[in-house]
Amino acid sequence: EQLRQEINKYNTFMSSAGEADGKVRTKFEEHLPGMKQLCLPRAEFTASIPAGGPSANAGSQVVLELQNLMAQVTQLKSDREALEKSLEDTTFDVRSKFMSALMSDGAINEEAMSQEILDEMYGSLRGEVDTSLQRQEELIKRVYEVNGRFEQEKQSGGAVSHRADVLKQLAASFDVYTELTANLTEGAKFYAGLTEILLKIQQKASDLVFARNTEKDDALKDIQQSIARSGGESTLAQPAYQQSGMCTGCAREIAMRRRTSQN
């Protein structure tokens, strides 16, 4: 019973492995052309990719506008770095101001004085920071809008769209290749472990067959010995006509008459 359970478990493993292998084979066959293309030499691979065709003109209005926005982004970044340095370099002496207020008024209003000092030292810088953040939001919105127009103009040609589709297929083939490589590595480990299980089951089955054959041989040996012993101790019963000395023909005739009379 235990051996049957192990065999059923092995069959379940094989069924699941067969389904997984089928999925792997389907993915492999589906992306095989792309994988073959990725394996081409560099020159052949480059030549196999469709040309982009006419895209957005370098002198078009949308390109010039996008370039201008990128220049503004660079300038904003530079201004942001200068502003950050100004914030780091700003210093002030709070202690002297607190001591002066204590000597003149005899008391210190820490909250009011602290707010006054911060406004004095960072007031102008705070305004610059707010202006920079507002400018950043405007640039992000404008860049997103102009870039959308740039993409539409760039992809207006059919050749560009075909090139994009081919590149997407190649990217998908590469992803599938990476996935299948990992699946094959896991599958090799799985089948190695499954082979060990099968060998153990095979050994158990061989042991069981050997044990049953031994039991069979022992049983046949006992039967043969029993027959030999019983055959040496008893004799066959002699027919009645041989015991009375009657001839064989007479005995046959008497037997036939008995059958006739009984019918």
Side-chain angles (χ1 to χ4, degrees):
E1 181 65 26
Q2 182 180 0
L3 184 59
R4 289 195 183 97
Q5 291 177 357
E6 292 183 2
I7 293 175
N8 291 334
K9 186 177 180 180
Y10 171 79
N11 289 332
T12 302
F13 285 160
M14 290 300 298
S15 178
S16 300
E19 294 178 1
D21 291 346
K23 294 179 181 179
V24 169
R25 180 176 296 277
T26 299
K27 285 187 177 181
F28 174 76
E29 293 176 351
E30 180 180 354
H31 294 275
L32 181 58
M35 294 180 188
K36 289 182 177 179
Q37 187 174 354
L38 289 171
C39 294
L40 293 174
R42 186 179 184 85
E44 295 182 21
F45 174 74
T46 303
S48 66
I49 300 177
S55 59
N57 190 347
S60 66
Q61 181 63 32
V62 66
V63 172
L64 295 176
E65 190 173 354
L66 193 57
Q67 290 175 345
N68 180 43
L69 289 173
M70 293 299 100
Q72 294 183 42
V73 170
T74 302
Q75 183 61 42
L76 179 63
K77 181 180 178 181
S78 178
D79 295 342
R80 194 69 70 78
E81 292 175 352
L83 184 58
E84 181 180 358
K85 189 174 186 307
S86 297
L87 288 170
E88 293 175 351
D89 294 342
T90 300
T91 58
F92 51 88
D93 187 3
V94 179
R95 181 178 180 182
S96 61
K97 291 183 178 293
F98 280 176
M99 293 300 295
S100 176
L102 181 62
M103 293 177 62
S104 61
D105 301 335
I108 300 176
N109 188 343
E110 296 182 4
E111 183 177 356
M113 288 188 65
S114 298
Q115 186 63 44
E116 181 182 352
I117 293 172
L118 291 175
D119 289 342
E120 179 183 350
M121 301 302 299
Y122 293 105
S124 60
L125 293 176
R126 184 183 300 165
E128 293 181 19
V129 170
D130 292 340
T131 301
S132 178
L133 291 175
Q134 182 179 0
R135 180 59 179 159
Q136 174 181 316
E137 293 298 326
E138 293 175 354
L139 280 174
I140 290 175
K141 182 178 179 181
R142 187 62 181 156
V143 167
Y144 181 80
E145 176 187 348
V146 175
N147 185 66
R149 288 161 45 199
F150 172 76
E151 289 294 332
Q152 291 180 357
E153 183 174 336
K154 185 177 69 172
Q155 297 181 3
S156 58
V160 176
S161 177
H162 179 55
R163 175 185 173 87
D165 291 339
V166 171
L167 292 176
K168 288 179 180 179
Q169 292 175 2
L170 290 174
S173 297
F174 177 77
D175 292 339
V176 170
Y177 169 78
T178 304
E179 179 184 352
L180 293 182
T181 301
N183 290 340
L184 291 175
T185 302
E186 294 178 359
K189 294 180 180 178
F190 170 78
Y191 280 112
L194 201 59
T195 301
E196 294 182 3
I197 295 175
L198 180 59
L199 290 175
K200 291 179 181 179
I201 294 177
Q202 183 180 9
Q203 184 61 45
K204 290 181 179 180
S206 298
D207 294 342
L208 180 62
V209 171
F210 178 78
R212 292 294 180 266
N213 286 334
T214 302
E215 292 176 2
K216 180 195 71 173
D217 294 339
D218 292 342
L220 289 175
K221 185 177 180 181
D222 291 341
I223 293 173
Q224 290 173 354
Q225 291 177 353
S226 177
I227 292 174
R229 285 195 300 268
S230 61
E233 296 175 357
S234 61
T235 57
L236 294 176
Q238 187 178 12
Y241 69 88
Q242 294 181 358
Q243 296 177 2
S244 60
M246 188 180 302
C247 66
T248 303
C250 296
R252 186 180 296 112
E253 183 178 355
I254 293 173
M256 292 178 63
R257 289 178 180 177
R258 286 179 179 176
R259 292 194 193 99
T260 305
S261 61
Q262 289 175 359
N263 292 333

